Amino acid sequence: MSESNNDIVGYDLIRNDVLQLVLGKEHDQLLYWVGKSLARKYKLEQVEELHTFFQQVYWGELHLSKQKKNEWHFDLSGDWMTKNDERSYQLEAGFLAETLETQFAIATAATFVKKGKTVRFTVHFDHKDTLAV
């Protein structure tokens, strides 16, 4: 195994096993809020930066697939995504929600569904709930 593969295996071990053991039944909720917190720490100025950021942190290949007024759809793929993939993608959902909320000053929430070898994120915008900048 090359060094980069070892890094990925270590990341997966922490992400998929250790965090679930430590966080227990609160795992998904806490990952969502950790994702939001990470987005505040690693502020991205433009939506286009999301693709590169996701690659750099080994979260996979992220692409904006559809834009509607009240929601945007992102597709995430990666080599590890198979029908046996049991990881939670709440960390990524929280990161997406907070990044877009910060960029547009509109309240957001993100959800996800697994579709084969892809995860589809839907970021919901609440245009009635604008945020002070």
Side-chain angles (χ1 to χ4, degrees):
M1 224 184 260
S2 71
E3 184 174 297
S4 63
N5 283 342
N6 284 334
D7 291 343
I8 293 170
V9 169
Y11 170 79
D12 285 344
L13 178 72
I14 291 169
R15 170 72 186 266
N16 301 337
D17 298 323
V18 174
L19 283 179
Q20 287 185 7
L21 287 170
V22 171
L23 300 176
K25 62 183 176 182
E26 302 298 323
H27 176 262
D28 287 358
Q29 272 188 316
L30 290 171
L31 279 184
Y32 187 85
W33 291 104
V34 167
K36 288 179 76 70
S37 180
L38 287 172
R40 288 188 290 273
K41 181 175 182 179
Y42 299 99
K43 290 184 180 188
L44 304 180
E45 299 299 321
Q46 298 184 22
V47 172
E48 294 78 19
E49 295 177 88
L50 284 165
H51 175 78
T52 303
F53 183 85
F54 270 60
Q55 284 180 322
Q56 289 175 337
V57 297
Y58 302 114
W59 287 353
E61 294 288 325
L62 183 74
H63 300 283
L64 177 60
S65 57
K66 184 188 269 186
Q67 288 177 268
K68 297 180 180 179
K69 180 182 177 186
N70 294 322
E71 62 186 35
W72 285 12
H73 299 269
F74 291 88
D75 291 329
L76 180 68
S77 60
D79 294 340
W80 62 89
M81 291 184 189
T82 65
K83 64 181 179 179
N84 298 324
D85 177 29
E86 294 182 19
R87 87 172 55 192
S88 169
Y89 289 90
Q90 292 289 9
L91 181 71
E92 293 87 343
F95 190 88
L96 285 169
E98 185 66 26
T99 296
L100 295 177
E101 184 170 292
T102 301
Q103 287 182 6
F104 299 117
I106 298 170
T108 65
T111 57
F112 72 91
V113 293
K114 296 177 187 176
K115 296 180 142 205
K117 293 184 177 186
T118 303
V119 175
R120 163 71 51 95
F121 293 96
T122 303
V123 179
H124 307 273
F125 296 95
D126 183 354
H127 293 280
K128 295 177 185 172
D129 190 0
T130 57
L131 309 173
V133 214

